[in-house]
Amino acid sequence: MDIERIHTPVMLERTLELLAPAVSGEGAVLVDATLGMGGHTGALLERFPRLTVIGLDRDTDALAIARERLARFGDRARFVHTVYDGIGRAVRSQGFHEVQGVLFDLGVSSLQLDRAERGFAYAKDAPLDMRMDATRGRTAADVLAEADEDQLRRIFLDYGEEKLAARYARAIVRARAERPILRSAELVEIIDRATPAALQRAGHPAKRVFQALRIEVNEELSVLERAVPAALDVLAIGGRTVVLSYQSLEDRIVKRVLQAASSSTAPAGLPMELPEHRPQFKLLVRGAELASESEQAENPRAKPVRLRAAERVRRSS
């Protein structure tokens, strides 16, 4: 596998620019909450020679690759096998109580997509696994076998925003009554058959179903709901977080948490804002930033990205 070829960090220069004021100083620590194969972390350690990065990942394959790629940085690169809502415990396990930066690069990684045997990609036949941590938890095949029709419909609708959710759930329940659905090609065939011809041209019909199953298997949205507030909690004053989201469900959660953290808590009608009601964070970008047209052309995985960032300006008393 050509690791350098398959892993191109998205919005790398913009991410480094936003984090620089917080992570350039002596003793700075950053948490790469979605380490993957270490692309962002490697760039951070090269750009900021006094920085230590704690890399988190639930994927043991990714951790093994990142350890090898980042070995040249010695103890400046630390590694923790955890889901990113465990960020507080991970920071403490490395001997710190606060950090100067947190980076999230959400969604499925290049490694997971490009290793067909992981079952994430609808275009490649493989066992329906989709676990980001292949050592534990239910697989996508388990979900398809165990969830009832209403549960499948909800998964496809809520996590895939799939308009044909009910139709696909019904088709899967019928198909599994004949034989278990164990491989991605089998699921794609069921979805293809259940998709009206008029809609076959509106993108691959399996795309949103595979996204929804991946989110369900890995509990991605509930984890993210816990992880972003936990990340804000460990940021020191002046510390910054950058979050890269790749679909609207993720971005909605990030937007809501950052907006709440950067808003006054003063009750309506107070004649003046007391110090304890002032926001603890300020937003660093207006809305969500997109990758440049040139980057989108060079790296197709940059097309859906939405970047949001914030800085801690005070702690509650």
Side-chain angles (χ1 to χ4, degrees):
M1 180 194 300
D2 184 347
I3 293 171
E4 300 302 331
R5 179 187 65 78
I6 66 172
H7 184 63
T8 304
V10 172
M11 295 188 77
L12 178 59
E13 282 304 318
R14 182 58 171 146
T15 297
L16 296 178
E17 176 189 6
L18 286 164
L19 291 170
V23 303
S24 301
E26 188 68 42
V29 179
L30 176 138
V31 178
D32 185 343
T34 48
L35 177 66
M37 291 181 289
H40 279 106
T41 285
L44 284 157
L45 291 169
E46 286 177 356
R47 184 72 59 91
F48 308 111
R50 295 179 290 180
L51 176 66
T52 295
V53 176
I54 304 169
L56 316 183
D57 213 294
R58 66 170 89 183
D59 188 327
T60 53
D61 289 347
L63 280 170
I65 292 171
R67 284 181 188 275
E68 182 179 341
R69 292 184 76 196
L70 302 171
R72 68 187 187 277
F73 295 108
D75 194 46
R76 293 177 58 217
R78 316 268 187 103
F79 306 92
V80 180
H81 179 216
T82 185
V83 186
Y84 46 66
D85 61 347
I87 185 171
R89 293 187 300 276
V91 167
R92 292 189 294 274
S93 78
Q94 298 302 307
F96 303 101
H97 69 277
E98 62 182 15
V99 299
Q100 285 64 49
V102 178
L103 171 64
F104 288 94
D105 186 16
L106 300 172
V108 64
S109 75
S110 301
L111 175 66
Q112 290 156 349
L113 284 172
D114 292 327
R115 284 192 168 170
E117 68 272 17
R118 301 294 294 273
F120 285 93
Y122 56 81
K124 301 172 184 176
D125 184 35
L128 279 166
D129 192 318
M130 297 194 191
R131 291 173 299 170
M132 291 178 176
D133 182 348
T135 67
R136 68 188 70 186
R138 295 186 305 165
T139 67
D142 293 333
V143 173
L144 292 174
E146 297 165 4
D148 63 30
E149 185 175 328
D150 281 346
Q151 290 171 326
L152 289 171
R153 179 189 56 78
R154 177 193 58 78
I155 290 167
F156 301 154
L157 186 62
D158 291 351
Y159 298 158
E161 300 179 294
E162 174 53 68
K163 295 178 181 177
L164 298 179
R167 189 184 189 106
Y168 291 154
R170 195 159 51 247
I172 286 166
V173 169
R174 283 200 302 265
R176 77 185 185 192
E178 298 179 12
R179 68 172 190 270
I181 305 165
L182 302 176
R183 300 189 65 86
S184 52
E186 296 167 353
L187 179 57
V188 168
E189 183 181 356
I190 292 165
I191 293 168
D192 278 341
R193 287 201 309 263
T195 305
L199 298 179
Q200 291 276 1
R201 295 182 295 275
H204 199 292
K207 180 177 181 180
R208 288 182 292 274
V209 169
F210 271 64
Q211 171 185 298
L213 280 172
R214 188 199 84 219
I215 290 172
E216 171 70 13
V217 165
N218 297 290
E219 301 180 347
E220 289 177 49
L221 298 184
S222 58
V223 168
L224 186 61
E225 292 265 16
R226 298 188 295 271
V228 180
L232 298 184
D233 282 346
V234 299
L235 277 177
I237 293 175
R240 292 184 167 201
T241 185
V242 172
V243 186
L244 302 168
S245 305
Y246 295 84
Q247 39 103 341
S248 60
L249 298 170
E250 293 172 340
D251 184 55
R252 215 171 289 156
I253 292 170
V254 176
K255 176 183 178 181
R256 184 174 70 247
V257 174
L258 294 187
Q259 282 188 337
S262 59
S263 299
S264 171
T265 59
L270 280 186
M272 61 180 293
E273 183 184 54
L274 298 174
E276 60 265 30
H277 294 309
R278 290 174 187 156
Q280 295 186 44
F281 288 83
K282 68 175 181 180
L283 301 181
L284 298 174
V285 300
R286 184 182 294 275
E289 286 190 8
L290 311 181
S292 66
E293 291 184 7
S294 60
E295 181 174 359
Q296 291 184 37
E298 292 172 10
N299 184 2
R301 287 175 182 160
K303 289 181 179 178
V305 73
R306 300 289 184 272
L307 180 151
R308 296 182 186 272
E311 176 183 335
R312 179 181 283 284
V313 292
R314 75 173 191 90
R315 279 203 175 275
S316 59
S317 52

